[in-house]
Amino acid sequence: MSTISIIGSGGMAAAIGGLAAKAGHTVEVMSRDAAKARALAEQIGAGATTGVFAAAPGGDIVVLAVPYSAVLDVVKQYGEALAGKLLVDITNPVGSDLKSFVTPEDSFGAREIMKAAPSDAVVVKAFNTLFSRVLAAGPVEGRPLDVFIAGDDAQAKARVSAFIESLGLRPMDTGQLSMAPTLEHACLLSLGLLAHSVKHTNFSIGVSLLG
């Protein structure tokens, strides 16, 4: 197993960190709020540690588990500490109306993160279509949750896919990072279902393979 660094201390950080620790990975939690980082590390257990915010993460994979409104600033603060790192972008750049995006019209969240990160960092989009409570619960009735991923680096995607599988989830490769805006639009689909059809967050978008 490997060391996974998680930047953030909210629901998604707790969900991914909890599953990672259960799978036998070493988890490092990093947050602007050191007290929240310590509390989450204690909640995760299994030897989870805390790192110094903006210092070089110790993990082989770095999960950016902060809201999109904060992620670009966070990546810039880390700067060269993220050089050569595999960054997992789980964010959704959704506007306050929950119907639009805050990114430039000719761009998308994962691309903006790439611009802010060191040139040799690699970004893979993943986990952004799942609600934190659903993710934390893991497989349902023996069926793994689908985690859609997108990225340009085949080796990086293979590493993220292996990590996802180790959590008892099913990685679904959607192609290059240019597919990331489609995954970000899938968040809007979930929010639309939440508002108009399902009325709660206890659901996930997945793929049923027929025949």
Side-chain angles (χ1 to χ4, degrees):
M1 295 299 171
S2 55
T3 298
I4 308 299
S5 293
I6 300 176
I7 302 176
S9 55
M12 287 296 287
I16 295 172
L19 290 176
K22 185 177 179 181
H25 298 282
T26 300
V27 178
E28 176 188 50
V29 180
M30 311 175 85
S31 172
R32 279 193 178 109
D33 189 324
K36 287 184 177 180
R38 288 193 297 270
L40 180 54
E42 291 175 3
Q43 175 186 327
I44 292 170
T49 63
T50 58
V52 177
F53 183 79
D60 304 311
I61 294 174
V62 180
V63 180
L64 302 175
V66 295
Y68 183 78
S69 59
V71 72
L72 299 182
D73 182 54
V74 166
V75 170
K76 289 174 183 176
Q77 285 190 45
Y78 271 81
E80 288 303 311
L82 297 179
K85 294 292 185 179
L86 197 176
L87 309 179
V88 178
D89 167 28
I90 73 169
T91 68
N92 285 300
V94 177
S96 59
D97 62 357
L98 304 183
K99 298 178 182 179
S100 61
F101 294 109
V102 297
T103 45
E105 290 186 8
D106 62 346
S107 190
F108 51 92
R111 176 178 289 170
E112 294 302 303
I113 289 172
M114 280 189 64
K115 291 178 183 177
S119 60
D120 60 347
V122 179
V123 175
V124 173
K125 190 82 174 182
F127 293 102
N128 75 297
T129 63
L130 291 165
F131 293 108
S132 60
R133 285 177 55 193
V134 173
L135 180 58
V140 179
E141 297 179 351
R143 295 183 59 184
L145 298 170
D146 286 334
V147 180
F148 301 106
I149 67 174
D152 293 333
D153 187 303
Q155 183 177 8
K157 283 199 294 185
R159 291 171 61 192
V160 174
S161 292
F163 171 61
I164 291 168
E165 287 181 336
S166 77
L167 306 186
L169 310 172
R170 183 170 68 167
M172 299 294 284
D173 188 350
T174 66
Q176 294 186 313
L177 198 65
S178 57
M179 284 296 291
T182 301
L183 298 184
E184 292 169 2
H185 275 85
C187 172
L188 291 187
L189 173 61
S190 292
L191 293 174
L193 291 170
L194 173 62
H196 301 287
S197 300
V198 184
K199 305 293 187 180
H200 59 72
T201 60
N202 191 31
F203 71 93
S204 66
I205 297 174
V207 174
S208 293
L209 302 177
L210 306 177

